[in-house]
Amino acid sequence: MAAAATRPDRAYHQDYICRIRYENNLPPPPGSVKLLDIPIDGLDYYASPGFASRLHRSQPINIEADAELGMPINLVGMPGVFDGDESSIQAPLITPPVNPKDKNLLRPLSELGKPKYQGGGISFLRRTEYISSDTARARSEAAPKSTPKSPGPKLRKPVDTSKDDPIYVLRAAVKGFDIANPEDAYTGPDTNDNIKGLDPTPAELEAWSDPKHPLQSSLKPIDFYPILPDLEAGTDAGDYMVAKFSNNPTHVANKRDIRVDVGLLRPIDDEAMFAEYSAKIAAHEADPTRFPHPGGAPFNYNFFLPTDEASANNLRKKLDVDDPDRDNPNLYTAKNRDGKEVFRLERQRTYETGRATAQDTDHAYKEIALALHDPELDVVTQDAILDTDEPSLQRLKKGAYYYPIMQKIQLKPHRSKNMAQLGGASRFNDEDDDKRVDVWDVTVDDLDDNEKTKRSSHRAALLGEEEDARNDDS
């Protein structure tokens, strides 16, 4: 009794394990939701047990049942029913054989679900064990004494921080150019102007000498084009703009209208529009978080096209520097009031800017247009080279020439009349404006000094001051 009195009380935790044999998830009721107008008399009234019973009695079941309660029984045609013989409507005495497809529906509940392991006894009852202090003490003395070691913290894989160094990143970029142009690779010490690239691995050299498609290894390249800037095709702004019409700008629908290739978009001055645009720019510069950038300037444009396809083809020849007939004065198709040869373009309609996206100067080459040029495949250029020694015809060598795109706009027809009918003020009335231009005469001339200065400044930004000056001297 003394030993039993000194024995400490121990509590044994027991868990009840209930295994679900199958679930019976009922579908939602087929009837539509019915909203009841419940009077609000207090929480105690709704929490009382009799509220649900009274609500059930007060709301009748909204079911329209016919005389047969939805189960029509037609006894006509059953032999002997009206004579007292009910054998035709009773189950047969001999049960017919079950269709093999329906045998799975007649399985008992014990065979449904996943097969389970049938162990001895009751699965959720704990096995009976006799525990005594002597037995526990003997087991603890017999067990080897070993101090378990606590698992230490997992060691993280060391990160090579040297690869994040800007000099390392620059060397990795230079390595790609050295692989492509090994004859121009710089091998001297690092200076402010030149830096040595990383040493290429054999796998990188093999990948450059034998390129493979990343998805289809059976494809092989048939030709290579170096990516080069077209310095002679620069504009006054140094970049290009992509304009997309929201609908067909001409009435030609069954084929491509080549006149659009030499069409002219003339911007229209609108002081009110530019004042509003300047206010949005100022608000964006003051608080960029609240006021987003409005994008490019929302110009309105007058769209001009040549009168016919012959004039369009002549204008294309005049603009093509590689065409040997570009200096032929007979390409002009009209004369102005002064008797000068011109290309006459007629106004089609006025367009306004629908959507406009512009790139900032830090991302000038985020979007570019790429043109592949191979002098050997250019039939016009080859014939011209054989007939003349003009150096301008040989100005471009083989390469993929890129042109920076700084702005993209969508043009949609200007709806000034509709705005006036709706009571709105149109910024530009293209029908009643006396200053509207219906015909535009175009002549193609060489660049003047001002245009050459603008283009040379853009070339200097790409090649550097010294190399651009060297090209001008040559």
Side-chain angles (χ1 to χ4, degrees):
M1 293 298 293
T6 58
R7 182 180 302 174
D9 296 335
R10 297 179 61 184
Y12 298 97
H13 181 72
Q14 293 185 354
D15 295 333
Y16 176 76
I17 303 175
C18 178
R19 298 179 180 177
I20 300 176
R21 177 175 296 176
Y22 58 91
E23 296 182 2
N24 187 13
N25 296 327
L26 298 178
S32 60
V33 180
K34 182 178 181 181
L35 301 178
L36 304 178
D37 187 10
I38 303 176
I40 302 175
D41 296 332
L43 183 61
D44 297 337
Y45 173 74
Y46 298 116
S48 60
F51 173 73
S53 300
R54 290 193 299 271
L55 184 64
H56 173 68
R57 292 192 299 269
S58 62
Q59 298 295 333
I61 301 176
N62 189 12
I63 297 178
E64 297 181 1
D66 52 2
E68 298 175 343
L69 298 179
M71 296 181 293
I73 299 177
N74 187 6
L75 299 180
V76 178
M78 295 184 179
V81 172
F82 298 100
D83 297 336
D85 184 10
E86 299 180 354
S87 60
S88 60
I89 62 175
Q90 293 180 355
L93 299 178
I94 301 175
T95 305
V98 180
N99 194 310
K101 297 181 179 179
D102 298 334
K103 287 185 177 180
N104 293 330
L105 302 176
L106 301 179
R107 291 185 300 171
L109 296 178
S110 59
E111 296 181 7
L112 297 178
K114 298 180 180 180
K116 300 186 229 179
Y117 173 74
Q118 299 293 339
I122 308 300
S123 60
F124 58 85
L125 292 181
R126 187 174 179 177
R127 186 179 59 181
T128 305
E129 296 179 357
Y130 294 95
I131 302 175
S132 62
S133 59
D134 299 336
T135 306
R137 189 181 301 109
R139 290 181 179 178
S140 62
E141 293 176 354
K145 296 182 179 180
S146 61
T147 304
K149 296 181 179 180
S150 60
K154 295 183 178 179
L155 298 178
R156 184 175 298 177
K157 186 178 181 180
V159 179
D160 189 2
T161 57
S162 62
K163 293 185 178 181
D164 297 334
D165 184 60
I167 301 298
Y168 181 87
V169 176
L170 182 58
R171 293 182 188 277
V174 173
K175 178 182 64 173
F177 292 94
D178 294 343
I179 296 175
N181 304 280
E183 65 279 0
D184 298 334
Y186 179 74
T187 58
D190 296 341
T191 61
N192 295 332
D193 298 331
N194 295 317
I195 187 172
K196 182 181 178 181
L198 297 177
D199 296 333
T201 62
E204 294 172 343
L205 295 176
E206 183 181 359
W208 176 259
S209 60
D210 186 16
K212 295 182 180 180
H213 196 274
L215 300 179
Q216 300 181 11
S217 58
S218 59
L219 298 180
K220 299 295 182 181
I222 58 177
D223 205 349
F224 299 90
Y225 291 82
I227 300 178
L228 302 172
D230 192 353
L231 302 178
E232 299 296 333
T235 61
D236 293 346
D239 49 53
Y240 292 83
M241 179 178 64
V242 175
K244 180 180 180 181
F245 293 95
S246 60
N247 52 10
N248 190 1
T250 64
H251 299 289
V252 180
N254 55 352
K255 64 177 183 178
R256 175 179 173 81
D257 194 348
I258 62 174
R259 299 181 301 162
V260 181
D261 297 340
V262 291
L264 178 64
L265 287 172
R266 178 177 177 268
I268 304 172
D269 295 333
D270 192 345
E271 298 180 358
M273 180 184 298
F274 278 102
E276 181 180 353
Y277 177 74
S278 301
K280 293 181 180 180
I281 290 292
H284 171 72
E285 294 177 352
D287 190 358
T289 58
R290 293 181 54 190
F291 303 98
H293 195 280
F299 280 101
N300 287 337
Y301 300 89
N302 279 330
F303 185 51
F304 296 86
L305 287 178
T307 55
D308 50 18
E309 293 186 359
S311 300
N313 289 327
N314 291 350
L315 182 54
R316 292 181 63 178
K317 291 182 178 180
K318 194 68 176 178
L319 296 174
D320 189 359
V321 295
D322 295 333
D323 198 308
D325 298 332
R326 63 184 300 266
D327 294 331
N328 188 356
N330 296 327
L331 293 178
Y332 290 103
T333 57
K335 292 183 179 181
N336 59 7
R337 296 178 180 178
D338 300 334
K340 186 178 180 180
E341 300 286 345
V342 295
F343 292 104
R344 180 151 297 173
L345 279 68
E346 296 181 352
R347 176 184 173 274
Q348 303 299 313
R349 68 176 307 160
T350 301
Y351 286 90
E352 61 183 12
T353 303
R355 291 193 303 267
T357 57
Q359 304 291 343
D360 52 8
T361 55
D362 296 337
H363 302 83
Y365 294 95
K366 185 177 181 180
E367 295 186 10
I368 61 174
L370 202 64
L372 301 180
H373 176 70
D374 190 351
E376 298 180 357
L377 301 179
D378 195 348
V379 179
V380 177
T381 303
Q382 288 296 318
D383 296 341
I385 292 174
L386 295 176
D387 296 339
T388 182
D389 296 333
E390 186 178 353
S392 62
L393 297 177
Q394 304 178 6
R395 67 180 185 87
L396 285 181
K397 60 182 181 180
K398 179 181 179 180
Y401 292 89
Y402 63 89
Y403 307 89
I405 298 175
M406 293 296 293
Q407 187 177 3
K408 295 191 299 183
I409 60 174
Q410 182 190 32
L411 300 178
K412 60 181 181 180
H414 191 68
R415 306 293 183 182
S416 59
K417 281 188 174 181
N418 295 343
M419 291 293 295
Q421 293 176 359
L422 295 175
S426 175
R427 290 196 177 102
F428 182 81
N429 194 335
D430 57 344
E431 297 293 336
D432 300 333
D433 191 6
D434 297 335
K435 299 181 180 180
R436 186 186 65 190
V437 178
D438 293 328
V439 177
W440 194 269
D441 293 337
V442 177
T443 58
V444 181
D445 298 327
D446 295 333
L447 299 178
D448 55 15
D449 295 339
N450 186 21
E451 293 172 340
K452 290 180 179 179
T453 302
K454 292 181 180 179
R455 283 163 171 76
S456 62
S457 62
H458 297 305
R459 287 197 301 267
L462 291 175
L463 301 178
E465 297 289 345
E466 297 180 358
E467 187 172 354
D468 186 73
R470 194 184 310 115
N471 294 335
D472 292 340
D473 295 338
S474 60

